[in-house]
Amino acid sequence: MTALSTDAPPYRFQDAEPRWQAAWDNRGCFAVADIPADGKPKYYVLEMFPYPSGKIHMGHVRNYTLGDVVARYKRARGFAVLHPMGWDAFGLPAENAARERGIHPAKWTWDNIAAMRAELKRMGLSLDWRREFATCDPAYYGQQQKLFLDMLRAGLVDRRESWVNWDPVDQTVLANEQVIDGRGWRSGAPVEKRSLAQWFLRITRYAPELLEALDRLDRWPERVRVMQAKWIGRSEGARLHFALTAPAGGIAAVEVYTTRPDTLFGMSFLALAPEHPLAEAVAAGNPEAAAFIAECRRMGTSEAAIETAEKRGFDTGLRVSHPFRPELTFPVWIANFVLMEYGTGAIFGCPAHDQRDLDFARTCGLPVRPVVLPPDEDAANFAIADRAYDGPGRMINSDFLDGLEAAAAKARAIAELERRGCGRGVVNWRLRDWGVSRQRYWGCPIPVIHCTACGMVPVPDADLPVKLPDDVTFDRPGNPLAHHPTWKHVPCPSCGAAATRETDTFDTFVDSAWYFARFCSPQASVPVAQAAADHWMPVDQYIGGIEHAILHLLYARFFTRAMVATGHLAAAEPFAGLFTQGMVTHESYRGADGRWLYPEEVERLPDGSAVERQGGAPVTVGRIEAMSKSKRNTVDPGAIIARYGADTARWFILSDNPPDRDMEWTEAGVAGAARFVQRAFRLAEGVATLADLPPPPPAALGSAATALRRVTHRSIVAVTEALEGFAFNVAVARLHEFANALAEAERRRGDAAELAGLGWARREAVGIFLRLAAPMMPHLAEEMHARLTGGADDTLVADMAWPEADADLAAADQVTIAVQVMGKLRGTLALPPGQPEPAVLAAAAAEPNVARALDGRRIVKRIYVPDRIVNFVVAG
RNA sequence: GCGGGCGUGGCGGAAUUGGCAGACGCGCCGGACUCAAAAUCCGGUUCUGGUGACAGAGUGUCGGUUCGACCCCGACCGCCCGCACCA
């Protein structure tokens, strides 16, 4: 019989996968209505939609496989599942392609979408493709303009000056990623900060709410909630004024925000951001100060660049008085590490208790005066070396605060500031308003018109969408919309006089801040059809990369609230459940000349070394790291699917490791998955050859058949539990075990009655196996089912219910109890569950190896955890 | 620099969340089938000592709590993600 199954024709995914994809499509398995009438509970599964770069990559395969497993599993559990797909289609790469290769961004984007759609379809995803849209379609971005105008009317929009990275050679604004070591990526010119009038969304208005509501997102990863909470950054502190000993540029005092007013007596200096008005006033009359500020402006706008730069400063020569001891004065510096965007753009420096201040004080030769004494130190000997002390302790060297705990001193200092009228306690937020202006072509136009007479005038709703012009040129730097000969010239909607359109477009994070809501009613003539959104929102399970933990997810949470405020949505939170997947990694390879090599150019030798396939030159095997084009350590999903099939790719990507961790793509791993696909199919073949057997009563089954049935029903429980917990690698392992048990049953011999019973149990097992595997390997499951029933049953596995476990069979009939002596394992007991404690303890002590370990010693304590472990604690 | 996370055999990982460390897979070793190979199937595989029953060590490092620690606490090391104009 074994020979028969191994000689059976192998599973041909090349035929089967397109066939089943067509079958699902023809029956409309995955289509749902905007407002379904069937009364099933709803489940909205969404994966982060892709940027259409032109090819799917392994990160997409992982993301969409994870989502598809959830979607198919939930469908089997009886939910009406909304599972849509679309395209995050605006962004910089399309403009880069236009500049580098002369392709229009729209053509580039739509061609890429067509190519990627075809690749995704080959994965066999259970998507409702009728809901597909791209954010670069006016039908989408016109609705986004409507949302913006409603937010404008609701006071959620602001326009103000803000800093950008400016390339003085290319005369263009640069994104942070286009600034490399402080220079423009194309021109190589040192970048300057430049101030422009920009549009902002007032996310800060929702800061308390966005923070507080994190507690209720109980199906979000804890670390994402922590990261968002820290990003929003509520802090309690004080705002206080430092009076200048002599006014400068009409400024008499500097306002400072601090979270540590308790350390005011440890002050050593006051530091201003380079963009601070007082710094600019000083620079007006001091070329050296102006030069220092100009140098700071060359650092670019990214916080990481500013904070990793060496701390530098410029002593303005001005001095401020201490708020509690006005006779003490301190120097005012301009410092490159003070951020204008946070607090008031000025700090008081207390080097003893803040590491940045200490680094600055050491480089600039400023004094360090400790005022908080750690609990285990004494005042006479305590000194700060190269580490600032930011822990708890008692105040010293601090006048009226001396002896207080730091926390109490903080309250006392605020009270004193308020009594003296030079400061007050405040709550401060790290979160800044969301700058949405981009000086680029390939984005959603901001629907506003500037009129010299009327000022800023919103585009009337009736004139939406404001469409991008097609006839643009990329032959010079800067924003093609601003260069366009006619597009921006329009009559003022208010007075009719000649006016100009806003030429800024939206940050692409705006596009992705509400697409999940649009999917509920993608054809609606309003941004969202209320009834559809009320039915489907919030997203029950959102899946995407951890790199979006803060910005995208926070913007989406804010936008949802803004849509509630403007009457477009009812649900306050967009994503009830969130899962963040890890990256897909691969070894990297370098040729003898240092070039990076693609995996397909490299051959691994049995001794572990590697050579080039062509020519056999030695190859250095580098680190395992995230797949990236620059390191060429990428594997093309299209090629993998063509060679092994979608089910194999899906199975491997799920089986390798827990989905929230980085996974390593290996050739051996895919090959292993491919073998399992064939093996599973052979299990169905082996059973299909048996005569169709009526269900006998379980009592008629022999012990081998009953044992297999136990495995079958325990597998239902185990796989279900693993899928519910996103432990897809464990689900895979359980299915491997299940397949092993089935193979063992297949080998079994016995008399006719036993074999009949076993045959029946095997048929049951295969029927259940394929349904448990279906969310992960959907095509194979359909093929197995067709083979099992000989085509007599044309129900699609995609439409079948999830198997139900027989509780009696799934329950444990025996437990293994570990027996320890002094915490060391000395033996095990196999017993039926639920035995009385004295019986278990007696059996444990009688176990030969345990008895030897106990011999001659006095048992002082017996620990028994029911059905699990015994531990004897002995004296001596 | 700041914020968040991760670390278990040769490799990916499992461990009912404080109770048998190493499930399952990959790789490797041995065997069956074969003229032979591939494929397939079976068995073994944390390390050290021992023919063996067994004993000792072991979850990045060092220390702590506990009858018992991969799990909890403290310090350190290494790697990864984010830092507001990449998406």
Side-chain angles (χ1 to χ4, degrees):
Chain A
M1 287 300 141
T2 313
L4 199 158
S5 57
T6 47
D7 293 345
Y11 169 58
R12 284 194 42 85
F13 69 85
Q14 297 91 333
D15 308 330
E17 291 188 350
R19 182 153 36 81
W20 294 115
Q21 285 163 17
W24 299 325
D25 208 25
N26 291 340
R27 294 207 203 168
C29 288
F30 311 123
V32 285
D34 289 0
I35 302 156
D38 57 18
K40 285 185 185 175
K42 71 97 182 179
Y43 201 88
Y44 184 0
V45 185
L46 184 66
E47 300 97 57
M48 291 179 183
F49 67 163
Y51 178 79
S53 59
K55 284 195 139 195
I56 62 170
H57 55 66
M58 280 299 170
H60 293 130
V61 175
R62 196 176 196 199
N63 194 180
Y64 302 139
T65 300
L66 294 174
D68 202 47
V69 172
V70 175
R72 287 177 180 270
Y73 170 71
K74 288 292 178 182
R75 258 175 61 73
R77 297 306 302 247
F79 289 89
V81 172
L82 174 61
H83 188 206
M85 182 57 71
W87 310 96
D88 188 13
F90 276 135
L92 269 181
E95 279 192 53
N96 293 338
R99 286 183 202 278
E100 284 159 14
R101 283 175 277 158
I103 311 168
H104 192 281
K107 175 170 170 45
W108 185 85
T109 302
W110 287 109
D111 286 353
N112 285 348
I113 287 172
M116 287 178 73
R117 183 194 299 116
E119 287 195 277
L120 286 186
K121 288 200 169 181
R122 281 195 282 275
M123 283 183 65
L125 304 170
S126 62
L127 292 164
D128 182 359
W129 280 104
R130 300 172 318 154
R131 291 174 183 273
E132 176 189 3
F133 61 75
T135 56
C136 64
D137 188 332
Y140 181 81
Y141 71 68
Q143 300 299 336
Q144 183 164 305
Q145 291 167 340
K146 169 82 170 86
L147 290 176
F148 174 80
L149 293 177
D150 286 347
M151 289 179 198
L152 187 65
R153 287 185 274 267
L156 290 170
V157 177
D158 192 19
R159 185 168 158 86
R160 55 176 180 259
E161 291 277 315
S162 172
W163 298 94
V164 295
N165 298 308
W166 179 254
D167 186 319
V169 170
D170 277 353
Q171 295 283 301
T172 192
V173 177
L174 297 178
N176 280 337
E177 76 155 8
Q178 297 174 318
V179 179
I180 296 155
D181 296 330
R183 290 171 181 273
W185 65 335
R186 285 194 218 282
S187 70
V191 167
E192 295 170 7
K193 282 197 225 178
R194 181 177 269 216
S195 182
L196 290 182
Q198 309 236 50
W199 293 96
F200 283 84
L201 296 183
R202 288 185 164 146
I203 188 173
T204 53
R205 195 176 276 193
Y206 290 88
E209 153 81 8
L210 287 167
L211 179 66
E212 187 248 336
L214 284 173
D215 288 341
R216 296 191 293 273
L217 293 174
D218 56 350
R219 291 202 298 117
W220 277 42
E222 176 68 14
R223 62 171 161 156
V224 174
R225 289 188 283 161
V226 170
M227 278 192 265
Q228 289 214 351
K230 300 267 183 187
W231 185 264
I232 296 166
R234 183 183 193 275
S235 66
E236 289 178 7
R239 270 179 186 248
L240 61 151
H241 288 90
F242 285 87
L244 285 161
T245 51
I251 298 170
V254 182
E255 189 176 36
V256 157
Y257 172 76
T258 178
T259 56
R260 295 296 304 271
D262 50 316
T263 63
L264 265 167
F265 286 102
M267 178 171 182
S268 163
F269 59 91
L270 188 140
L272 306 170
E275 300 84 14
H276 193 278
L278 180 58
E280 287 175 355
V282 169
N286 182 333
E288 276 183 74
F292 179 75
I293 291 170
E295 202 183 316
C296 291
R297 282 197 182 162
R298 281 199 278 277
M299 272 201 301
T301 58
S302 108
E303 196 172 308
I306 292 166
E307 294 211 356
T308 47
E310 192 195 343
K311 307 253 177 313
R312 301 190 53 215
F314 177 85
D315 187 352
T316 62
L318 301 172
R319 295 189 78 83
V320 288
S321 297
H322 194 277
F324 297 145
R325 308 254 314 264
E327 71 278 14
L328 297 178
T329 66
F330 297 91
V332 175
W333 287 65
I334 301 167
N336 65 352
F337 67 93
V338 179
L339 302 171
M340 192 61 215
E341 292 86 4
Y342 185 72
T344 61
I347 62 159
F348 85 84
C350 175
H353 305 293
D354 181 286
Q355 191 61 42
R356 285 180 308 177
D357 294 353
L358 182 64
D359 295 344
F360 184 73
R362 293 298 187 213
T363 35
C364 297
L366 293 157
V368 178
R369 180 178 149 98
V371 289
V372 179
L373 185 67
D376 51 354
E377 295 275 353
D378 73 277
N381 298 323
F382 180 60
I384 297 290
D386 55 357
R387 298 286 291 188
Y389 178 73
D390 59 5
R394 284 188 182 280
M395 306 308 298
I396 52 171
N397 303 325
S398 291
D399 199 306
F400 62 92
L401 298 176
D402 277 349
L404 291 174
E405 286 293 330
K410 186 169 160 180
R412 178 76 182 80
I414 290 171
E416 184 65 16
L417 287 170
E418 288 175 351
R419 193 183 67 76
R420 289 173 182 248
C422 58
R424 68 203 152 86
V426 293
V427 170
N428 192 56
W429 303 85
R430 209 185 77 98
L431 184 66
R432 309 201 294 257
D433 275 336
W434 176 11
V436 293
S437 280
R438 298 291 181 271
Q439 293 71 38
R440 306 190 203 293
Y441 165 72
W442 196 235
C444 169
I446 297 178
V448 165
I449 290 164
H450 301 279
C451 171
T452 44
C454 310
M456 185 219 58
V457 183
V459 172
D461 286 7
D463 294 350
L464 296 180
V466 176
K467 288 191 192 176
L468 288 170
D470 288 331
D471 53 334
V472 281
T473 54
F474 293 89
D475 51 1
R476 57 174 162 150
N479 182 355
L481 287 181
H483 303 151
H484 193 279
T486 57
W487 181 78
K488 70 178 173 187
H489 300 292
V490 286
C492 170
S494 177
C495 70
T500 56
R501 287 193 189 282
E502 172 63 64
T503 58
D504 283 356
T505 50
F506 282 121
D507 176 9
T508 56
F509 272 127
V510 179
D511 311 336
S512 56
W514 72 285
Y515 77 109
F516 45 86
R518 181 71 182 168
F519 272 137
C520 300
S521 53
Q523 277 91 37
S525 58
V526 290
V528 290
Q530 188 99 42
D534 286 350
H535 183 263
W536 290 109
M537 289 295 292
V539 175
D540 295 280
Q541 187 63 59
Y542 195 39
I543 305 170
I546 185 68
E547 67 274 19
H548 293 293
I550 296 177
L551 292 179
H552 162 60
L553 291 169
L554 194 59
Y555 291 149
R557 294 182 63 219
F558 156 67
F559 222 77
T560 303
R561 284 165 170 78
M563 286 172 76
V564 172
T566 50
H568 291 283
L569 273 185
E573 283 289 345
F575 313 120
L578 173 69
F579 187 87
T580 53
Q581 68 183 74
M583 293 180 305
V584 182
T585 66
H586 197 281
E587 280 179 339
S588 53
Y589 308 103
R590 271 190 150 158
D593 53 0
R595 283 173 309 122
W596 295 104
L597 298 170
Y598 287 107
E600 60 264 29
E601 297 176 296
V602 174
E603 178 158 19
R604 293 301 298 260
L605 301 177
D607 64 0
S609 68
V611 294
E612 282 192 53
R613 243 174 238 285
Q614 301 243 311
V619 167
T620 310
V621 178
R623 297 166 12 124
I624 295 161
E625 52 191 317
M627 288 188 180
S628 75
K629 279 183 204 148
S630 62
K631 301 275 170 65
R632 299 198 164 184
N633 61 338
T634 54
V635 173
D636 173 28
I640 294 292
I641 290 170
R643 181 165 170 203
Y644 294 101
D647 283 338
T648 292
R650 293 167 59 119
W651 186 251
F652 173 53
I653 219 158
L654 293 166
S655 65
D656 188 57
N657 66 351
D660 55 345
R661 278 198 228 172
D662 290 353
M663 78 161 287
E664 188 193 349
W665 186 273
T666 61
E667 194 60 27
V670 197
R675 278 201 297 276
F676 186 74
V677 168
Q678 295 296 340
R679 185 164 180 242
F681 181 71
R682 283 196 302 274
L683 292 175
E685 287 278 306
V687 175
T689 59
L690 297 173
D692 205 358
L693 299 158
L701 296 175
S703 62
T706 305
L708 178 58
R709 295 203 70 209
R710 284 193 190 282
V711 174
T712 299
H713 289 265
R714 281 174 198 165
S715 294
I716 296 174
V717 174
V719 172
T720 304
E721 196 175 280
L723 293 184
E724 291 281 351
F726 261 81
F728 301 135
N729 57 324
V730 179
V732 166
R734 297 296 161 253
L735 286 170
H736 272 287
E737 287 171 325
F738 190 8
N740 290 344
L742 251 164
E744 195 188 333
E746 198 171 41
R747 289 197 303 276
R748 219 170 188 106
R749 297 288 168 272
D751 61 33
E754 274 175 298
L755 285 183
L758 195 54
W760 184 85
R762 283 168 58 200
R763 284 189 65 90
E764 179 196 37
V766 172
I768 286 173
F769 175 91
L770 69 90
R771 280 188 284 159
L772 294 179
M776 299 179 265
M777 299 195 284
H779 312 86
L780 175 72
E782 299 285 2
E783 192 76 4
M784 286 176 75
H785 175 252
R787 196 55 66 106
L788 192 61
T789 60
D793 176 5
D794 74 345
T795 311
L796 290 169
V797 179
D799 286 330
M800 287 183 195
W802 195 246
E804 296 275 353
D806 179 312
D808 289 341
L809 285 168
D813 54 342
Q814 203 172 58
V815 292
T816 307
I817 298 171
V819 184
Q820 299 179 337
V821 177
M822 295 299 279
K824 272 189 186 301
L825 183 71
R826 295 300 172 189
T828 57
L829 300 173
L831 296 172
Q835 297 297 299
E837 179 169 343
V840 175
L841 288 176
E847 205 276 341
N849 206 44
V850 175
R852 194 163 27 193
L854 289 174
D855 186 38
R857 303 192 202 200
R858 188 167 54 88
I859 299 173
V860 295
K861 199 169 175 185
R862 294 169 179 83
I863 287 143
Y864 177 52
V865 180
D867 293 345
R868 208 159 279 190
I869 200 164
V870 173
N871 189 11
F872 293 113
V873 183
V874 294

